[in-house]
Amino acid sequence: MTFVTKLTFQSGDKAVLDRVVDNLKSLIEKKGAECRGPHADQPERTSVPQYRTLQPGDQFPAWNYTVYTRRLEIHGADQIARQVSERDYPDSVHIEIELEQKKPLGHRRN
């Protein structure tokens, strides 16, 4: 059975995000693993209201920011996926790791 490691990176700093993902992709490929991506999602614009007090009413202007998302997939190469998950990433980059088990065609459940 093959494992697919799905990595999702998010950040408000597009330049840092792209640098992290590009460096990671080249590292994975140098180690000989199959890497798909990076796939970019549409940037997500978020607006957060800011109140001057704990009671509704008087407000500061809303805080607006953009979140950028990139996704990578590592097929097989469990040891490389483990190394990627243990790396240190900048504080401005959020990473989510999902592991999916792929069964060969024709495989039956017991």
Side-chain angles (χ1 to χ4, degrees):
M1 286 181 228
T2 303
F3 288 94
V4 176
T5 306
K6 296 180 178 185
L7 305 165
T8 303
F9 299 88
Q10 292 181 321
S11 180
D13 188 340
K14 186 177 183 286
V16 170
L17 179 66
D18 288 339
R19 186 174 65 243
V20 166
V21 171
D22 291 343
N23 289 343
L24 190 58
K25 181 175 171 84
S26 64
L27 172 75
I28 292 167
E29 289 175 341
K30 283 180 187 176
K31 293 196 177 240
E34 181 184 352
C35 182
R36 294 186 185 163
H39 305 289
D41 293 349
Q42 283 287 78
E44 185 179 317
R45 295 278 305 149
T46 303
S47 180
V48 180
Q50 300 184 87
Y51 297 98
R52 292 183 190 271
T53 65
L54 295 177
Q55 298 175 358
D58 199 16
Q59 284 185 257
F60 292 110
W63 176 42
N64 298 300
Y65 63 97
T66 303
V67 177
Y68 301 94
T69 303
R70 302 290 182 270
R71 292 176 285 111
L72 286 175
E73 290 183 1
I74 303 171
H75 292 260
D78 302 339
Q79 184 65 23
I80 295 170
R82 187 175 296 112
Q83 290 173 4
V84 166
S85 69
E86 294 172 349
R87 290 182 62 143
D88 287 328
Y89 295 96
D91 290 338
S92 63
V93 176
H94 173 77
I95 179 171
E96 291 181 16
I97 302 171
E98 179 183 340
L99 190 61
E100 184 177 306
Q101 188 176 9
K102 295 283 187 174
K103 296 180 179 169
L105 287 174
H107 183 270
R108 301 173 98 192
R109 286 188 170 173
N110 293 332

